[in-house]
Amino acid sequence: MNRLAARFAALKKEGRTAFVPFITAGDPDMETSFAILEKLPSCGADIIELGMPFTDPMADGPAVQASSVRALKSGATMAKVFKMVEKFRKIDKTTPIVMMGYYNPIHAHGTARFAKDVAAAGVDGLIVVDLPIEEDEVLRLPAKAQGVDVIRFVTPTTDDARLKRIVADASGFLYYVSVAGVTGTKSVPEDEVRAALARVRAVTDLPCAVGFGIRTPEQAAAIAALADGVVVGSAIVSLVAANLNGGKDKVIAEVLGLTRTLAGSTHAARHGKVPA
Amino acid sequence: MNQIPNSLRAGPDASGHFGAYGGRFVAETLMPLVLSLEQAYEAAKKDPAFHEELSGLLTHYVGRESPLYFAERLTAHLGGPKIYLKREDLNHTGAHKINNCLGQILLARRMGKTRIIAETGAGQHGVATATVAARFGLPCTIYMGDVDMERQKPNVFRMRLLGAEVKGVSSGSRTLKDATNEALRDWVANVHDTFYIIGSVVGPHPYPAMVRDFQTVIGNETRAQMIDREQRLPDLIVACVGGGSNAAGMFHPFVDDAGVEIHGVEAAGDGVDTPRHAATISKGSPGVLHGARSYLLQDSDGQIIEAHSISAGLDYPGVGPEHSWFKDIGRVKYYAVTDKEALDAFMLLSKLEGIIPALEPAHAIAHVCKVARQMNKDQIIAVCLSGRGDKDIFSVAEKLGEKL
């Protein structure tokens, strides 16, 4: 059992929903983002979504775009991101890390080599925004051979026929994109999420995390009552931008503070079953 | 690795690949829409009513067919092969872009979409999109990089006159690449009612094939006109390549004719050995951007490198996947022409033929000036003059140190 499966199994036993914060590796610089990363588990992160910066993040809204720009400006590279995960693994052997990014940097690295390198660094899953099921085999198979899950998306535009194809080769967990749009721009529609999760659970036993449009403790709690995982990204990386002038310690404190708050409300919400 | 099929015109395959290029690399939210677009396009292709309506509009609204003009003085000046210009600059809106926009907006109507979006670099595709949106009474939003809005002011004003909303894009290099990112973001947020009219042979399948098909009218006419005038095919076909739509349309009817040599001309900016160029095929490497696998300008970490060209329409770090395939199999040869060479050709054609070309096809003309010297008088070159240069007079004046 890999770290992702183990974590979801443990959470299920406890009747808890996973809190999944997103940060971009290297935002605002490698050192500060590592300082954030290493403290995320103690602030309530059950799984960490670590963004690989890309010059053209076309599925992301302004907040995540800006975090990518900051990371690249500060000199973030693929090699440094791998090192960061390696360093984290020396101090934390259980918190799963899922790397999120776009396909071109992976393609440039070579998919087989990438799968090996992320596995060696201690990554547990990959979320590749622009690699739909029609194209993901080239990464999914080598990743699987290394014990790394390629996480598939379900969205408001996914119909039942496509949903079946998505879950057929899915592993790790499913990522439900709660709104049609880019990250951090619209608010999560609770009723639609409830209906969508019922559809997903009718066809798979895989855990399903929900992301896009969750910013506040109230939204996190509402979604936590429905889903197996709550992902928050834009609200967190926005705090990096907002506190840059206050210095690195301030950035770290603010990001971790919000993580604690959101994790708290996620964990307080009872992990209810979706009503039939 | 790549089997070369009997006809080079048959591509792409069912999953949208030209050899190792193309495909559908988009967010999951967009995939159902991309697949339904493909179905709608396949159905339209088989529907005579669709072709009839498109052909009527091309004749009566665009003013096709466009002339194939024998450039007598340019030919004499260069002292070599006969040079013919395919006059896409004479189309309504002043460039080849309208051919594709009409096809796509008819498709949008068939799909019941009620809102149009597009990206634009030089503004030619934006103007053409705004034009067809006005013609069919659909609201329209055009994304354009801030840098391009500054250097293509007349086109920004034109789009607004036509009723389009022009949204400036201030991220990244603030040019065509970033406008495309922003259009994709709009599309993913408005999938239910919005049709994205992509302006070049780029993007996820079926766009590269569909845009090529709509532009193939250029090559089909050229072929028929050439046979009519010269009773034979040209020896060489030349077109400029940014994303590559005028080239794709010009080349397609000739790719199976072994006797016809084909050259695509990219923008070398300050020079292909400087950091400032847009010669994606000549200097790039395969990667994935904006929905397709193709040649890209990128660093070793897969980060996209910003392109540079005097011509806003060629200022793009990617290229259509079919061009990448043509490069690899050797069917088309790709060259690059600097800003300075393109400017010289811009002036030359204006003075010799009384035709002010857009800066994009000025690159093709500059290439013709070079290769004509190695060809003889019995030979024939057909060049796609993809657009007129009125939009470029401000950038050219600035380069020449004149204030308008």
Side-chain angles (χ1 to χ4, degrees):
Chain A
M1 194 185 282
N2 71 10
R3 273 181 290 263
L4 265 175
R7 179 55 51 102
F8 274 113
L11 288 168
K12 195 174 180 183
K13 229 179 197 172
E14 297 168 38
R16 279 205 299 135
T17 298
F19 179 64
V20 188
F22 168 91
I23 60 167
T24 298
D27 173 27
D29 56 67
M30 294 310 300
E31 195 185 318
T32 309
S33 76
F34 183 77
I36 294 170
L37 177 70
E38 69 171 340
K39 292 271 164 43
L40 284 175
S42 63
C43 296
D46 299 295
I47 297 168
I48 295 163
E49 190 180 336
L50 187 63
M52 297 180 276
F54 182 49
T55 41
D56 295 78
M58 52 256 172
D60 282 296
V64 177
Q65 285 175 48
S67 79
S68 235
V69 169
R70 287 192 297 271
L72 291 171
K73 265 201 182 145
S74 82
T77 61
M78 185 84 83
K80 287 182 189 168
V81 177
F82 291 159
K83 281 232 167 70
M84 181 179 179
V85 177
E86 249 172 59
K87 206 167 141 195
F88 175 83
R89 269 292 161 252
K90 285 188 183 135
I91 51 173
D92 186 317
K93 309 238 185 286
T94 55
T95 308
I97 289 190
V98 177
M99 293 228 299
M100 176 277 196
Y102 290 79
Y103 183 47
N104 196 55
I106 299 172
H107 179 276
H109 199 80
T111 48
R113 183 176 153 224
F114 183 80
K116 260 188 202 157
D117 288 350
V118 292
V123 170
D124 306 287
L126 299 170
I127 298 179
V128 189
V129 177
D130 52 352
L131 201 61
I133 59 171
E134 282 78 359
E135 307 280 358
D136 75 359
E137 200 174 278
V138 63
L139 179 64
R140 189 164 43 79
L141 299 184
K144 195 176 179 180
Q146 300 290 333
V148 174
D149 296 309
V150 168
I151 308 305
R152 286 180 157 185
F153 291 99
V154 178
T155 79
T157 61
T158 309
D159 65 17
D160 285 337
R162 188 166 176 86
L163 179 60
K164 276 192 189 142
R165 293 177 51 210
I166 290 170
V167 301
D169 293 308
S171 68
F173 63 95
L174 289 165
Y175 189 126
Y176 181 69
V177 175
S178 72
V179 293
V182 293
T183 49
T185 49
K186 297 180 187 169
S187 285
V188 58
E190 237 180 277
D191 289 343
E192 286 171 36
V193 170
R194 184 178 291 115
L197 287 171
R199 280 174 58 212
V200 170
R201 287 183 173 134
V203 293
T204 181
D205 293 329
L206 279 176
C208 190
V210 175
F212 282 47
I214 305 171
R215 303 187 69 87
T216 65
E218 294 72 28
Q219 288 168 331
I223 298 305
L226 307 170
D228 302 300
V230 170
V231 185
V232 179
S234 296
I236 292 175
V237 299
S238 295
L239 279 186
V240 177
N243 291 288
L244 271 177
N245 288 336
K248 287 170 187 175
D249 290 344
K250 171 94 170 145
V251 169
I252 297 167
E254 291 289 330
V255 166
L256 294 177
L258 180 64
T259 303
R260 228 175 268 119
T261 307
L262 293 167
S265 48
T266 301
H267 293 151
R270 257 195 65 160
H271 184 189
K273 286 230 150 52
V274 178
Chain B
M1 183 172 94
N2 295 330
Q3 283 274 316
I4 297 178
N6 289 330
S7 169
L8 301 180
R9 303 187 65 186
D13 68 14
S15 58
H17 292 94
F18 300 93
Y21 302 103
R24 288 175 285 222
F25 296 88
V26 294
E28 175 58 31
T29 308
L30 287 176
M31 267 314 289
L33 191 66
V34 164
L35 293 169
S36 75
L37 172 62
E38 183 189 351
Q39 281 174 359
Y41 178 54
E42 288 304 318
K45 267 207 291 199
K46 293 186 191 102
D47 181 358
F50 178 80
H51 293 285
E52 199 176 312
E53 187 173 14
L54 179 56
S55 153
L57 286 162
L58 289 174
T59 304
H60 302 293
Y61 190 63
V62 177
R64 300 205 74 94
E65 61 182 28
S66 67
L68 182 68
Y69 165 74
F70 173 49
E72 197 177 340
R73 295 192 70 217
L74 180 64
T75 298
H77 175 79
L78 296 173
K82 289 175 88 168
I83 297 161
Y84 282 87
L85 306 177
K86 180 58 175 167
R87 299 289 308 276
E88 292 298 300
D89 59 316
L90 294 177
N91 291 340
H92 179 40
T93 72
H96 69 292
K97 294 290 185 187
I98 188 106
N99 304 329
N100 166 50
C101 290
L102 278 170
Q104 287 199 46
I105 204 158
L106 292 184
L107 204 53
R109 281 202 320 172
R110 284 173 73 102
M111 293 177 74
K113 302 294 180 187
T114 54
R115 175 176 176 262
I116 299 296
I117 58 168
E119 84 297 334
T120 196
Q124 293 305 90
H125 174 59
V127 167
T129 303
T131 298
V132 299
R135 167 67 182 75
F136 287 95
L138 294 178
C140 166
T141 300
I142 308 289
Y143 290 93
M144 188 169 188
D146 286 345
V147 169
D148 291 337
M149 283 179 76
E150 181 55 35
R151 59 182 168 177
Q152 302 290 345
K153 277 183 204 155
N155 273 344
V156 174
F157 187 60
R158 243 171 235 138
M159 287 184 266
R160 288 185 173 143
L161 280 178
L162 291 161
E165 177 193 18
V166 183
K167 282 196 178 167
V169 177
S170 58
S171 57
S173 55
R174 297 178 291 142
T175 60
L176 180 55
K177 159 181 89 87
D178 312 284
T180 306
N181 290 340
E182 213 51 42
L184 283 165
R185 290 180 187 121
D186 180 312
W187 199 26
V188 79
N190 297 288
V191 276
H192 55 289
D193 67 353
T194 297
F195 191 100
Y196 180 12
I197 299 188
I198 294 184
S200 195
V201 286
V202 300
H205 178 65
Y207 282 102
M210 177 172 76
V211 175
R212 175 203 66 197
D213 292 348
F214 290 141
Q215 292 295 0
T216 295
V217 65
I218 304 173
N220 284 338
E221 286 178 9
T222 301
R223 193 182 167 94
Q225 290 165 321
M226 187 59 77
I227 289 170
D228 187 48
R229 299 279 285 281
E230 296 281 351
Q231 291 77 50
R232 70 179 186 89
L233 295 180
D235 299 280
L236 173 66
I237 300 272
V238 181
C240 62
V241 177
S245 71
N246 89 88
M250 181 74 169
F251 297 169
H252 193 59
F254 296 98
V255 291
D256 283 338
D257 298 304
V260 179
E261 193 165 331
I262 304 179
H263 293 179
V265 185
E266 298 191 291
D270 291 349
V272 288
D273 296 319
T274 74
R276 292 172 54 85
H277 66 78
T280 307
I281 295 189
S282 311
K283 299 296 278 187
S285 56
V288 173
L289 182 69
H290 296 149
R293 185 170 189 275
S294 196
Y295 276 78
L296 281 184
L297 297 180
Q298 58 185 330
D299 68 15
S300 59
D301 232 18
Q303 304 294 347
I304 308 304
I305 294 173
E306 293 172 6
H308 290 280
S309 168
I310 188 174
S311 144
L314 303 181
D315 201 345
Y316 181 66
V319 67
E322 193 172 19
H323 288 294
S324 294
W325 181 57
F326 282 149
K327 180 212 159 114
D328 281 10
I329 64 173
R331 178 60 188 101
V332 178
K333 292 201 179 91
Y334 294 87
Y335 298 85
V337 154
T338 64
D339 284 354
K340 170 148 195 333
E341 291 167 328
L343 263 175
D344 290 347
F346 179 96
M347 313 288 286
L348 184 73
L349 196 70
S350 300
K351 290 192 172 137
L352 282 181
E353 296 290 351
I355 297 171
I356 301 175
L359 280 170
E360 291 80 17
H363 286 72
I365 301 293
H367 177 71
V368 165
C369 293
K370 291 186 198 173
V371 293
R373 299 184 198 287
Q374 297 139 32
M375 294 171 68
N376 62 51
K377 291 193 176 191
D378 308 330
Q379 292 181 297
I380 301 171
I381 303 179
V383 194
C384 185
L385 194 71
S386 57
R388 67 177 182 224
D390 309 46
K391 68 178 174 65
D392 292 315
I393 55 172
F394 294 94
S395 348
V396 172
E398 195 191 313
K399 277 275 174 187
L400 300 176
E402 287 181 34
K403 199 142 184 96
L404 295 186

